[in-house]
Amino acid sequence: MDQYVIKGGTPLTGEVEIGGAKNAALAIIAAAVMADETVTIENLPDVRDINVMLKAIEHIGAIVERPDRHTVRINGKYINTVNVDDEYIRKIRASYYLLGALIGKYKEAQVALPGGCAIGARPIDLHLKGFRALGVQVDIAHGQVIAKAEHLKGTHIYLDKVSVGATINIMMAAALAEGRTIIENAAKEPHVVDVANLLNRMGASIRGAGTDVIRIQGVQKLYKTDYTIISDQIEAGTYMYAAAATHGDVLVKNVIPKHLEATSAKLIEVGCELKEYDDAVRVIAKNPLRHTQVTTLAYPGFPTDMQPQMGVVLGIAHGTSTITESIFENRFKYVDELNKMGANIKVESNIAIINGVEKYSGARVSAPDLRAGAALVIAGLAAEGITIVDDIYYIERGYERFEEKLASLGGLIKKVSSEKEIQKFKLMIS
Ligand code: EPZ
C-alpha cells in the first residue's frame, strides 16, 4: 500500500499549475455519451475517479480514446447496454451521473448504487425525486437503481435541499425530455455551469445555470462538440492553504479567481496576503496566522471540500477558531488524526472547536477520505519532523501528481510503498 512520507517545516514557494475540475469532469464524461457523435474533452484531470468513470462508459460500449492524459474523445453511438455495474463503479459517487445521462438518451438505466468517500449518509432521494417527476419509474433492487420511462416529460421540480449531484443529473435527463423543465433551488456551483455549458454546446437548451432557477427546453438530439473543462477550485484551494500552513509564498496558476472567493476571503481573514491576477492567485503567508470562524455552505459559500484544509490552517493559528460543517455530517474524521500531530481540536456535533497550537509534530496518520487526506498532507508539510500518511489511495482519487506538485514547491514529500523506502527517505533528508 502506498504512503506519503513527509519531512515538514519547509515553507512552500514557487508556482503550481492547476488541472481540470474533477467534479465537473465526472459529470461531463457522463454527459458526453448522450450524443451519437464524438465529444472531445480537454483539460481532463488524470486522477483515479476519472479513470474509473471512463472505464465504466467503455464497458457499456462507448468509444473512449485518450490522445493524451488530459484529453479524451468519447462517442456514445455504440452503447449496447444501459446496465452499469462493476466493482469499481460501485466505489465512486459520481456513477449516479450515468443515470441522468442514460435516462435522457435511452429513457432507461440500471446503475449500481453510488459509493464514494465516507463523509456521511449520502442519499440520492432528490435525484430520484427529479427523475420520477420527469415521468420515470424508479426502483431500487439488488444494489442498483433501475429506471425506465415511456416518455420523459418536462416539469417543475423543487429541490428540497441544494444538491450539486441532483441538479446536474436532472439537468442531463431533462435536456432530452419533451417540453420545458424548471429546476428550483438548484445548486449554483461552477461545475453545474460547466456541465450546462457543455450540454448547450452539444445542442441542449439550458438557461440559468449558476442561479437557483434553471430552465431547460428539451431537444431531440445532442451532437458532437469540443469542450475544455474549467479548472479545479478545490485543487487550487488546497495549494493555497498549503502555502498558508507552511508560511510560504505560492503562485497558483490556471485558476478562475472568481470561483475562489470564499476560499480566498478566509485566507485574508487569517492574515495571509493575496494577490489576484486574471488567471492566477498568489498567497503570501509571512504573517502569523489568526483564528476565525467558518461555516461550510453551498456555493458561493465556503466549500465543504475545503473544510479539512481550513481545519489544518486554523489548528496552528493563534486563538480559538470554530468550523461549522453544514453539508455533510461526517467530515471531521481528520480531527483525531490531526490531534495525533499535536492539534487541540474538539468536535461537538457539527462544530469543531479549534484551539490553535504553536506547531504540529510529525506522526503516522491515515487519510480517512479524499480532502481529509490532502489536509493531513498539508499538516505534515507544516509539522516538525516526519509524518507518514497511510491510505493515500483516497487522495489519488482527486489530486493529480500531488506529491510531485508539492515537491516542485520545495515540499519534502515522497510516495513510498515500504518501510525500507521510508528509511531511505529519512537518510536522504537528514
Ligand atoms: C458533490 O457531491 C461532490 N461530489 C462532493 O465532492 C462535494 O463535497 C459536494 O458535491 C458538495 O459540494 C461530486 O461531485 C462527485 P450534494 P454530491 O448532492 O453531489 C444532501 C469531493 O471531495 N443530499 O451537493 O453528492 C447531501 O447528503 C467531494 O470531491 C440529499 O439529502 O453532494 C448533502 O448534505 C466529496 N439527497 C447535501 O445534500 C440527495 O438526493 C449536498 O450534497 C442528494 C444530496
Side-chain angles (χ1 to χ4, degrees), residues 141-185:
H142 312 295
Q144 288 190 328
V145 181
I146 300 167
K148 200 166 171 44
E150 290 298 320
H151 301 282
L152 292 180
K153 273 204 86 58
T155 184
H156 211 108
I157 298 164
Y158 172 79
L159 294 178
D160 306 272
K161 208 168 175 183
V162 178
S163 160
V164 176
T167 303
I168 293 178
N169 233 342
I170 297 167
M171 201 166 74
M172 288 199 285
L176 289 174
E178 292 161 25
R180 195 153 98 127
T181 299
I182 298 176
I183 308 175
E184 284 193 79
N185 201 27

Coordinates of all heavy atoms in Angstrom, one line a residue, residues 141-185:
A141 N -33.3 -2.2 -6.5 CA -33.2 -3.7 -6.3 C -31.8 -4.2 -6.5 O -31.1 -3.7 -7.4 CB -34.2 -4.4 -7.2
H142 N -31.4 -5.1 -5.7 CA -30.1 -5.8 -5.9 C -29.0 -4.8 -5.9 O -28.0 -4.9 -6.7 CB -30.0 -6.7 -7.1 CG -31.2 -7.6 -7.2 ND1 -31.5 -8.6 -6.3 CD2 -32.3 -7.6 -8.1 CE1 -32.6 -9.2 -6.6 NE2 -33.1 -8.6 -7.7
G143 N -29.1 -3.7 -5.1 CA -28.0 -2.7 -5.1 C -27.9 -1.8 -6.3 O -26.9 -1.2 -6.6
Q144 N -29.0 -1.8 -7.1 CA -28.9 -1.0 -8.3 C -30.1 -0.1 -8.3 O -31.2 -0.4 -7.7 CB -29.0 -1.9 -9.5 CG -27.8 -2.7 -9.9 CD -27.9 -3.3 -11.2 OE1 -29.0 -3.6 -11.7 NE2 -26.8 -3.4 -11.9
V145 N -30.0 1.1 -9.0 CA -31.1 1.9 -9.3 C -31.6 1.5 -10.7 O -30.8 1.5 -11.6 CB -30.7 3.4 -9.3 CG1 -32.0 4.3 -9.6 CG2 -30.1 3.8 -8.0
I146 N -32.9 1.1 -10.8 CA -33.4 0.7 -12.0 C -34.5 1.7 -12.5 O -35.5 1.9 -11.8 CB -34.0 -0.8 -11.9 CG1 -32.9 -1.7 -11.4 CG2 -34.6 -1.2 -13.2 CD1 -33.4 -3.0 -10.9
A147 N -34.2 2.3 -13.6 CA -35.1 3.4 -14.0 C -35.6 3.2 -15.5 O -34.8 2.7 -16.3 CB -34.3 4.7 -14.0
K148 N -36.9 3.4 -15.7 CA -37.4 3.2 -17.0 C -38.6 4.2 -17.2 O -39.4 4.4 -16.3 CB -38.0 1.8 -17.1 CG -38.1 1.3 -18.6 CD -38.3 -0.2 -18.6 CE -38.7 -0.8 -19.9 NZ -38.1 -0.4 -21.1
A149 N -38.7 4.8 -18.4 CA -39.8 5.7 -18.7 C -40.3 5.4 -20.1 O -39.6 5.0 -21.0 CB -39.3 7.1 -18.7
E150 N -41.6 5.6 -20.3 CA -42.2 5.6 -21.6 C -41.8 6.9 -22.4 O -41.2 6.9 -23.4 CB -43.7 5.6 -21.5 CG -44.3 4.3 -21.0 CD -44.0 3.1 -21.9 OE1 -44.0 3.3 -23.1 OE2 -43.6 2.0 -21.4
H151 N -42.1 8.0 -21.7 CA -41.7 9.3 -22.2 C -41.1 10.1 -21.1 O -41.5 9.9 -19.9 CB -42.9 10.1 -22.7 CG -43.7 9.5 -23.7 ND1 -43.3 9.4 -25.0 CD2 -44.9 8.8 -23.6 CE1 -44.2 8.8 -25.7 NE2 -45.2 8.4 -24.9
L152 N -40.2 11.0 -21.4 CA -39.7 12.0 -20.4 C -40.5 13.3 -20.6 O -40.4 13.8 -21.8 CB -38.2 12.3 -20.5 CG -37.3 11.1 -20.2 CD1 -35.8 11.6 -20.4 CD2 -37.4 10.7 -18.7
K153 N -41.2 13.7 -19.6 CA -42.0 14.9 -19.8 C -41.5 16.1 -18.9 O -41.4 15.9 -17.7 CB -43.5 14.7 -19.5 CG -44.2 14.1 -20.7 CD -45.7 14.3 -20.6 CE -46.2 15.6 -21.2 NZ -46.0 15.9 -22.5
G154 N -41.1 17.2 -19.6 CA -40.7 18.3 -18.8 C -41.6 18.7 -17.7 O -42.8 18.5 -17.9
T155 N -41.1 19.2 -16.6 CA -41.9 19.5 -15.5 C -41.3 20.6 -14.6 O -40.2 21.0 -14.9 CB -42.2 18.2 -14.7 OG1 -43.1 18.5 -13.6 CG2 -41.0 17.6 -14.1
H156 N -41.9 20.9 -13.5 CA -41.4 21.8 -12.5 C -40.9 21.0 -11.3 O -41.6 20.2 -10.7 CB -42.6 22.6 -12.0 CG -42.3 24.0 -11.6 ND1 -42.7 25.1 -12.4 CD2 -41.6 24.5 -10.6 CE1 -42.2 26.2 -11.8 NE2 -41.6 25.8 -10.7
I157 N -39.6 21.2 -11.0 CA -39.0 20.4 -9.8 C -38.4 21.3 -8.8 O -37.6 22.2 -9.2 CB -37.9 19.4 -10.4 CG1 -38.5 18.4 -11.4 CG2 -37.3 18.7 -9.2 CD1 -37.5 17.7 -12.2
Y158 N -38.9 21.2 -7.6 CA -38.3 22.0 -6.5 C -37.4 21.0 -5.7 O -37.8 20.0 -5.2 CB -39.4 22.6 -5.6 CG -38.8 23.2 -4.4 CD1 -38.3 24.5 -4.4 CD2 -38.8 22.5 -3.1 CE1 -37.7 25.1 -3.3 CE2 -38.2 23.1 -2.0 CZ -37.7 24.4 -2.1 OH -37.1 25.0 -1.0
L159 N -36.1 21.4 -5.6 CA -35.2 20.6 -4.8 C -35.3 21.0 -3.3 O -35.0 22.2 -3.0 CB -33.7 20.7 -5.3 CG -33.5 20.1 -6.7 CD1 -32.1 20.4 -7.1 CD2 -33.8 18.6 -6.7
D160 N -35.6 20.1 -2.4 CA -35.8 20.4 -1.0 C -34.5 20.9 -0.4 O -34.5 21.6 0.6 CB -36.3 19.2 -0.2 CG -37.6 18.7 -0.9 OD1 -38.7 19.1 -0.6 OD2 -37.4 17.8 -1.8
K161 N -33.4 20.4 -0.9 CA -32.1 20.8 -0.4 C -31.2 21.1 -1.6 O -31.4 20.5 -2.7 CB -31.5 19.5 0.3 CG -30.6 19.8 1.4 CD -30.3 18.5 2.2 CE -29.3 18.8 3.2 NZ -28.9 17.6 4.0
V162 N -30.3 22.0 -1.4 CA -29.4 22.3 -2.6 C -28.4 21.2 -2.8 O -27.7 20.8 -1.9 CB -28.6 23.6 -2.3 CG1 -27.7 23.9 -3.5 CG2 -29.6 24.8 -2.1
S163 N -28.5 20.6 -4.0 CA -27.7 19.4 -4.2 C -27.0 19.5 -5.6 O -27.7 19.7 -6.6 CB -28.5 18.1 -4.2 OG -27.9 17.1 -4.9
V164 N -25.7 19.5 -5.6 CA -25.0 19.6 -6.9 C -25.3 18.4 -7.8 O -25.7 18.6 -8.9 CB -23.4 19.5 -6.6 CG1 -22.6 19.5 -7.9 CG2 -23.0 20.7 -5.7
G165 N -25.2 17.2 -7.2 CA -25.5 16.0 -8.0 C -26.9 15.9 -8.5 O -27.0 15.6 -9.7
A166 N -27.9 16.2 -7.7 CA -29.3 16.2 -8.2 C -29.5 17.2 -9.3 O -30.1 16.9 -10.3 CB -30.2 16.3 -7.0
T167 N -29.0 18.4 -9.1 CA -29.2 19.5 -10.1 C -28.6 19.0 -11.4 O -29.3 19.1 -12.5 CB -28.5 20.8 -9.6 OG1 -29.0 21.1 -8.4 CG2 -28.7 21.9 -10.6
I168 N -27.4 18.5 -11.4 CA -26.7 18.1 -12.7 C -27.5 16.9 -13.3 O -27.7 16.9 -14.5 CB -25.3 17.8 -12.5 CG1 -24.5 19.1 -12.1 CG2 -24.6 17.2 -13.7 CD1 -23.0 18.9 -11.8
N169 N -27.8 16.0 -12.5 CA -28.5 14.8 -13.0 C -29.8 15.0 -13.7 O -30.1 14.6 -14.8 CB -28.7 13.8 -11.8 CG -28.1 12.4 -12.1 OD1 -27.8 12.1 -13.3 ND2 -27.9 11.6 -11.1
I170 N -30.6 15.9 -13.0 CA -31.9 16.2 -13.5 C -31.8 17.0 -14.8 O -32.5 16.8 -15.8 CB -32.8 17.0 -12.5 CG1 -33.0 16.1 -11.3 CG2 -34.1 17.5 -13.1 CD1 -33.5 16.8 -10.0
M171 N -30.8 17.9 -14.8 CA -30.5 18.8 -16.0 C -30.2 17.9 -17.2 O -30.6 18.1 -18.3 CB -29.3 19.6 -15.6 CG -29.1 20.9 -16.4 SD -27.9 22.0 -15.6 CE -26.4 21.1 -15.9
M172 N -29.4 16.8 -17.0 CA -29.0 15.9 -18.1 C -30.2 15.2 -18.6 O -30.4 15.2 -19.9 CB -27.9 14.9 -17.6 CG -26.6 15.6 -17.4 SD -25.2 14.4 -17.4 CE -25.4 13.6 -15.8
A173 N -31.0 14.6 -17.7 CA -32.2 13.9 -18.2 C -33.1 14.9 -18.9 O -33.7 14.6 -20.0 CB -32.9 13.2 -17.1
A174 N -33.4 16.0 -18.3 CA -34.3 17.0 -18.9 C -33.9 17.6 -20.2 O -34.7 18.0 -21.0 CB -34.6 18.1 -17.9
A175 N -32.6 17.5 -20.5 CA -32.1 18.1 -21.7 C -32.7 17.4 -22.9 O -32.9 18.0 -24.0 CB -30.6 18.0 -21.8
L176 N -33.1 16.1 -22.8 CA -33.7 15.3 -23.9 C -35.1 15.0 -23.6 O -35.7 14.0 -24.1 CB -32.8 14.1 -24.2 CG -31.4 14.4 -24.8 CD1 -30.6 13.1 -24.9 CD2 -31.6 15.0 -26.2
A177 N -35.8 15.7 -22.6 CA -37.2 15.4 -22.3 C -38.1 16.2 -23.3 O -37.6 17.1 -24.0 CB -37.5 15.8 -20.9
E178 N -39.4 15.9 -23.3 CA -40.3 16.6 -24.1 C -40.7 17.9 -23.3 O -41.1 17.8 -22.2 CB -41.6 15.8 -24.4 CG -41.3 14.6 -25.3 CD -42.5 13.6 -25.2 OE1 -43.6 14.0 -24.8 OE2 -42.2 12.4 -25.4
G179 N -40.6 19.0 -23.9 CA -41.1 20.3 -23.3 C -40.1 20.8 -22.2 O -38.9 20.5 -22.2
R180 N -40.6 21.7 -21.4 CA -39.8 22.5 -20.5 C -39.7 22.0 -19.1 O -40.7 21.7 -18.5 CB -40.4 23.9 -20.5 CG -39.5 25.0 -20.0 CD -39.8 26.3 -20.6 NE -40.7 27.0 -19.7 CZ -40.4 28.3 -19.4 NH1 -39.4 28.9 -19.9 NH2 -41.2 28.9 -18.5
T181 N -38.5 22.0 -18.6 CA -38.3 21.6 -17.1 C -37.7 22.9 -16.4 O -36.9 23.5 -16.9 CB -37.3 20.5 -17.0 OG1 -37.9 19.4 -17.7 CG2 -37.1 20.1 -15.6
I182 N -38.3 23.1 -15.2 CA -37.7 24.2 -14.4 C -37.2 23.5 -13.1 O -38.0 22.8 -12.4 CB -38.8 25.2 -14.1 CG1 -39.2 25.9 -15.4 CG2 -38.2 26.3 -13.2 CD1 -40.3 26.9 -15.3
I183 N -35.9 23.7 -12.8 CA -35.4 23.2 -11.5 C -35.3 24.4 -10.6 O -34.6 25.4 -10.9 CB -34.0 22.6 -11.7 CG1 -34.0 21.5 -12.8 CG2 -33.5 22.0 -10.3 CD1 -32.7 20.9 -13.1
E184 N -36.0 24.4 -9.5 CA -35.9 25.5 -8.5 C -35.1 25.0 -7.3 O -35.0 23.8 -6.9 CB -37.3 25.8 -8.0 CG -38.0 26.7 -9.1 CD -39.2 27.3 -8.5 OE1 -39.1 28.3 -7.8 OE2 -40.3 26.8 -8.7
N185 N -34.4 26.0 -6.6 CA -33.5 25.7 -5.6 C -32.3 24.9 -6.1 O -31.8 24.0 -5.4 CB -34.1 25.1 -4.4 CG -33.3 25.3 -3.1 OD1 -32.6 26.3 -3.0 ND2 -33.4 24.4 -2.2

